[in-house]
Amino acid sequence: MTGTWTNWGGTVSYTPATVITPRTVDELADEVRRAAERGGTVKPVGAGHSFTPIAVAPGVQVNLSGLRGVRGVDLDRKRVTLAAGTHLHEIPAILEPLGLAMENLGDIDRQTIAGAVSTGTHGTGGRFGGISTQICGVQLVDGTGTIRDIGPDDPDLKAAALGLGALGVLTEVTLQCVDAFAVRAVEGPADADEVFAGFADRVAEFDHYEFYWFPHTSRTLTKSNTRLPADTPADGPSPLRRYIDDELLANRTLGALSAVGSRIPRIVPTINHMVGRAVSARTYTDRSDKIFVSDRGVRFREMEYAIGAADVPDVLGQIRSLIDHKHRISFPIEVRAAAADDLMLSTATGRATGYIAVHRFHRDDLTSSQEYFRDVEEIMIAHGGRPHWGKLHTRDAAYLREVYPRFDEFLAVRERFDPQRVFANPYLETVLGA
């Protein structure tokens, strides 16, 4: 029996022909081999936090919940191998007793580690890369049903560490961890003009910097995080106080106001001014993952583009003008940064990167939302923007080849790993070509 699968954002729904939950890698390899022999397709699905149809499985859907937990620990090299279905939120409890941590995280931790690295999930920090840059080895089942182990010195890792699910089904991921650390978070309101213009300076000044701009206003919320030794005492608002602030006040209030704005778009600017004025400052210190990760209780649709870090102020100015003249947008715009890396399909490959993410409340008018995303996307592609693989966009292989210098290298790896396109689906056919 199979049922309809729907992702978290409600942007993708489909019914797979078959669902399997393998308990061993050999069992999975057998399933892939059989699918290849009959000309079928196989796709793994994680936690459903991608907004694009990257995980759509028209044939066999692989549920990775049977492949979870620790597979190996190398304390000398600070490396931990995890089964691919392990969720990000499960990892801190695994690493803390070892005195280790992940070098950087995004602000959502519901994804599986396999889904996170396959779509290029990232956090922020001008000296740090996305989660895929922390991968020093993977095991996967390729399109012939062969189990491949790809180590840190294998050039194919530059493809497999962020492979879009196009090379195979990940079964194990080895993380290059760091010593555990704490983070001091400083959050507070700031003027939008100053924040836009000073983006590069703030990224250079702080270990992890990001901000949220409230459209139709001159208000932002900045988040400036500094790494500290692991034994730094936690301080600031208690976990309960932060829960009240973040969940009961921020999430529920944002959800309620977004719902009102969705029904009465003309009052969105007034609502945003109210929210912007309500932003207050706070400082607190805690274990790194507890600072990086935020609760997201309001459902939304999202598009995010990576652009050259130096282009961020100009692009934000253009988006601001677009919104002021054409759209009513309730959701804050999120801006982050990342260091350049050398992965084949990383959104930060070859350049220091700024990320600009735009959202619409999930109940907003769909036509209006699509028009907004399309208008913002035009600005992004004029600056050589690279879309986040797991977030809404309309780019195809012809465009992506222009902005990814290693695009054809990745296609060559794909040809070796999946010559029959066992892992293909309509999304991959669009972004990589048939």
Side-chain angles (χ1 to χ4, degrees), residues 189-192 213-221 253-254 257-258 261 265-280 320 323-324 327-332:
D191 176 76
W213 168 55
F214 300 94
H216 311 291
T217 82
S218 61
R219 302 286 283 182
T220 67
L221 169 65
T253 300
L254 177 61
L257 293 176
S258 296
R266 70 177 183 276
I267 68 171
V268 164
T270 300
I271 290 174
N272 283 10
H273 279 282
M274 292 170 52
V275 173
R277 286 194 297 269
V279 170
S280 60
R320 188 180 199 174
I323 291 173
D324 287 345
H327 297 281
R328 293 290 178 266
I329 304 301
S330 60
F331 250 81

XYZ file of all heavy atoms in Angstrom, residues 189-192 213-221 253-254 257-258 261 265-280 320 323-324 327-332:
340
model
N 17.355 45.117 16.876
C 16.875 45.884 15.725
C 17.968 46.779 15.167
O 18.899 47.181 15.880
C 15.732 46.712 16.328
C 16.141 46.898 17.764
C 16.832 45.633 18.164
N 17.848 47.095 13.887
C 18.804 48.004 13.240
C 18.152 48.590 11.995
O 17.209 48.028 11.439
C 20.094 47.282 12.873
N 18.676 49.721 11.560
C 18.151 50.410 10.376
C 18.523 49.655 9.102
O 19.680 49.245 8.925
C 18.722 51.825 10.322
C 18.286 52.567 9.069
O 17.125 53.003 9.006
O 19.119 52.679 8.139
N 17.573 49.498 8.210
C 17.781 48.700 7.006
C 18.872 49.268 6.113
O 19.717 48.517 5.601
C 16.473 48.570 6.231
N 15.031 41.372 7.124
C 14.453 42.683 6.822
C 12.943 42.544 6.690
O 12.444 41.612 6.045
C 15.029 43.244 5.518
C 14.292 44.435 5.016
C 14.034 45.606 5.682
C 13.660 44.563 3.733
N 13.309 46.452 4.898
C 13.061 45.855 3.701
C 13.554 43.743 2.608
C 12.362 46.311 2.581
C 12.869 44.204 1.495
C 12.280 45.476 1.499
N 12.225 43.459 7.333
C 10.766 43.466 7.270
C 10.324 44.346 6.103
O 10.470 45.572 6.161
C 10.186 43.986 8.590
C 10.578 43.165 9.781
C 11.680 43.519 10.545
C 9.866 42.033 10.125
C 12.066 42.758 11.632
C 10.242 41.258 11.212
C 11.346 41.621 11.963
N 9.830 43.752 5.013
C 9.429 44.537 3.840
C 8.447 45.652 4.198
O 7.680 45.543 5.159
C 8.770 43.487 2.934
C 9.451 42.212 3.307
C 9.656 42.302 4.792
N 8.521 46.738 3.432
C 7.695 47.934 3.599
C 8.130 48.773 4.804
O 7.441 49.729 5.167
C 6.196 47.591 3.729
C 5.690 46.660 2.686
N 5.561 47.022 1.364
C 5.298 45.352 2.763
C 5.100 45.988 0.675
N 4.944 44.958 1.498
N 9.265 48.402 5.431
C 9.747 49.152 6.584
C 11.244 49.389 6.442
O 11.907 48.844 5.558
C 9.511 48.395 7.906
O 10.556 47.427 8.102
C 8.166 47.700 7.934
N 11.780 50.194 7.365
C 13.225 50.400 7.445
C 13.820 49.610 8.601
O 14.916 49.911 9.079
C 13.533 51.896 7.635
O 12.955 52.367 8.841
N 13.116 48.570 9.050
C 13.534 47.817 10.227
C 14.113 46.457 9.840
O 13.616 45.771 8.945
C 12.347 47.595 11.165
C 11.676 48.859 11.633
C 12.508 49.593 12.668
N 12.415 48.950 13.973
C 13.017 49.410 15.066
N 13.758 50.504 14.996
N 12.872 48.792 16.229
N 15.156 46.069 10.569
C 15.716 44.730 10.436
C 15.949 44.146 11.827
O 16.028 44.870 12.822
C 17.075 44.722 9.701
O 18.047 45.377 10.519
C 16.983 45.400 8.346
N 16.084 42.844 11.862
C 16.559 42.129 13.050
C 17.891 41.505 12.681
O 17.967 40.693 11.751
C 15.571 41.036 13.461
C 16.083 40.042 14.524
C 16.345 40.752 15.853
C 15.096 38.891 14.699
N 2.600 34.605 16.835
C 2.201 35.949 16.422
C 2.412 36.142 14.931
O 1.546 36.677 14.229
C 2.984 37.016 17.215
O 2.717 36.851 18.602
C 2.582 38.415 16.778
N 3.579 35.690 14.422
C 3.840 35.797 12.988
C 2.789 35.034 12.197
O 2.294 35.516 11.172
C 5.237 35.257 12.672
C 5.635 35.242 11.193
C 5.641 36.657 10.618
C 7.009 34.589 11.015
N -0.546 37.012 12.316
C -0.496 38.231 11.506
C -0.389 37.904 10.014
O -0.973 38.606 9.179
C 0.682 39.097 11.940
C 0.569 39.703 13.351
C 1.834 40.465 13.703
C -0.652 40.622 13.447
N 0.355 36.845 9.679
C 0.450 36.444 8.273
C -0.904 35.996 7.746
O -1.260 36.274 6.588
C 1.477 35.314 8.113
O 2.774 35.750 8.444
N -2.857 39.134 7.088
C -2.357 39.781 5.878
C -2.717 39.035 4.615
O -2.918 39.638 3.558
N -4.591 41.882 2.086
C -3.232 42.273 1.697
C -2.918 43.754 1.891
O -1.766 44.112 2.156
C -3.181 41.876 0.214
C -4.194 40.781 0.070
C -5.300 41.165 1.014
N -3.920 44.635 1.801
C -3.628 46.070 1.860
C -3.083 46.504 3.220
O -2.452 47.561 3.333
C -4.884 46.875 1.522
C -5.982 46.827 2.567
C -7.159 47.716 2.200
N -8.188 47.735 3.232
C -9.144 46.841 3.357
N -9.205 45.843 2.477
N -10.038 46.923 4.334
N -3.317 45.693 4.267
C -2.831 46.097 5.589
C -1.481 45.483 5.928
O -0.962 45.694 7.027
C -3.849 45.745 6.697
C -3.961 44.224 6.883
C -5.205 46.356 6.398
C -4.788 43.831 8.092
N -0.875 44.741 4.998
C 0.423 44.113 5.264
C 1.486 45.137 5.659
O 2.222 44.930 6.632
C 0.872 43.270 4.050
C 2.371 42.942 4.142
C 0.061 41.983 3.980
N 1.649 46.281 4.953
C 2.664 47.248 5.387
C 2.459 47.714 6.830
O 3.429 47.858 7.585
C 2.505 48.396 4.391
C 1.970 47.740 3.158
C 1.026 46.695 3.670
N 1.215 47.945 7.217
C 0.937 48.366 8.595
C 1.334 47.285 9.585
O 1.941 47.564 10.630
C -0.559 48.695 8.750
O -0.904 49.748 7.854
C -0.867 49.128 10.173
N 1.014 46.035 9.256
C 1.383 44.919 10.129
C 2.902 44.841 10.274
O 3.440 44.667 11.374
C 0.827 43.600 9.579
C -0.697 43.569 9.718
C 1.450 42.407 10.293
C -1.344 42.361 9.080
N 3.621 44.974 9.153
C 5.074 44.869 9.208
C 5.695 45.983 10.049
O 6.681 45.765 10.753
C 5.661 44.887 7.800
C 5.498 43.541 7.097
O 4.797 42.671 7.588
N 6.144 43.389 5.960
N 5.128 47.181 9.966
C 5.629 48.273 10.810
C 5.422 47.937 12.282
O 6.301 48.216 13.116
C 4.926 49.581 10.448
C 5.496 50.267 9.250
N 6.662 51.004 9.300
C 5.072 50.314 7.960
C 6.932 51.486 8.098
N 5.981 51.086 7.262
N 4.291 47.344 12.611
C 4.033 46.951 13.996
C 5.053 45.905 14.461
O 5.619 46.006 15.558
C 2.613 46.384 14.126
C 1.503 47.393 13.926
S -0.115 46.571 13.815
C -0.094 45.552 15.288
N 5.282 44.900 13.611
C 6.219 43.836 13.964
C 7.629 44.390 14.096
O 8.363 44.064 15.037
C 6.168 42.703 12.925
C 7.261 41.667 13.205
C 4.800 42.036 12.926
N 8.030 45.230 13.139
C 9.369 45.803 13.170
C 9.624 46.614 14.422
O 10.713 46.555 15.015
N 8.630 47.370 14.853
C 8.799 48.184 16.064
C 8.836 47.325 17.323
O 9.369 47.742 18.365
C 7.658 49.207 16.161
C 7.785 50.363 15.187
C 6.851 51.491 15.565
N 5.449 51.105 15.488
C 4.688 51.238 14.414
N 5.210 51.747 13.293
N 3.423 50.873 14.429
N 8.281 46.109 17.235
C 8.235 45.235 18.410
C 9.533 44.458 18.624
O 9.734 43.866 19.682
C 7.069 44.256 18.278
N 10.428 44.474 17.630
C 11.685 43.735 17.761
C 12.525 44.351 18.870
O 12.717 45.571 18.921
C 12.463 43.753 16.430
C 13.873 43.206 16.624
C 11.721 42.947 15.375
N 13.036 43.516 19.757
C 13.852 43.999 20.869
C 15.190 43.274 20.899
O 15.356 42.219 20.288
C 13.123 43.806 22.205
O 12.837 42.432 22.421
N 13.868 45.682 -2.725
C 13.102 46.665 -1.946
C 12.250 47.528 -2.866
O 11.057 47.762 -2.602
C 14.075 47.525 -1.146
C 13.412 48.451 -0.146
C 14.494 49.236 0.579
N 14.014 49.810 1.821
C 14.784 50.440 2.695
N 16.084 50.577 2.445
N 14.277 50.927 3.804
N 9.297 45.460 -4.257
C 8.224 45.267 -3.289
C 7.431 46.549 -3.093
O 6.190 46.537 -3.065
C 8.807 44.762 -1.952
C 9.326 43.324 -2.117
C 7.757 44.816 -0.840
C 10.076 42.803 -0.912
N 8.125 47.656 -2.953
C 7.438 48.927 -2.720
C 6.487 49.295 -3.851
O 5.436 49.900 -3.624
C 8.468 50.051 -2.536
C 9.178 49.984 -1.194
O 8.686 49.258 -0.311
O 10.218 50.648 -1.036
N 4.344 44.665 -4.779
C 3.903 43.526 -3.979
C 3.608 43.921 -2.535
O 4.088 44.935 -2.041
C 4.973 42.425 -3.995
C 5.235 41.849 -5.347
N 4.412 40.918 -5.933
C 6.231 42.089 -6.241
C 4.887 40.587 -7.122
N 5.996 41.282 -7.343
N 2.812 43.100 -1.878
C 2.550 43.226 -0.452
C 3.080 41.953 0.218
O 2.497 40.887 0.084
C 1.052 43.401 -0.177
C 0.494 44.718 -0.698
C 1.025 45.885 0.135
N 0.547 47.181 -0.354
C 1.221 47.953 -1.200
N 2.413 47.562 -1.662
N 0.731 49.098 -1.585
N 4.191 42.079 0.928
C 4.916 40.919 1.437
C 4.977 40.979 2.960
O 5.562 41.890 3.542
C 6.348 40.861 0.865
C 6.306 40.878 -0.661
C 7.082 39.641 1.392
C 5.517 39.741 -1.280
N 4.402 39.981 3.611
C 4.367 39.965 5.068
C 5.607 39.332 5.677
O 6.036 39.726 6.766
C 3.118 39.220 5.553
O 3.110 37.877 5.088
N 6.191 38.340 4.999
C 7.294 37.587 5.595
C 8.616 38.341 5.498
O 8.932 38.924 4.457
C 7.443 36.239 4.892
C 7.033 35.076 5.754
C 5.697 34.740 5.887
C 7.981 34.333 6.435
C 5.309 33.660 6.670
C 7.612 33.256 7.223
C 6.270 32.921 7.349
N 9.417 38.307 6.564
C 10.753 38.920 6.497
C 11.623 38.250 5.436
O 11.451 37.064 5.125
C 11.332 38.676 7.899
C 10.156 38.385 8.763
C 9.143 37.718 7.887
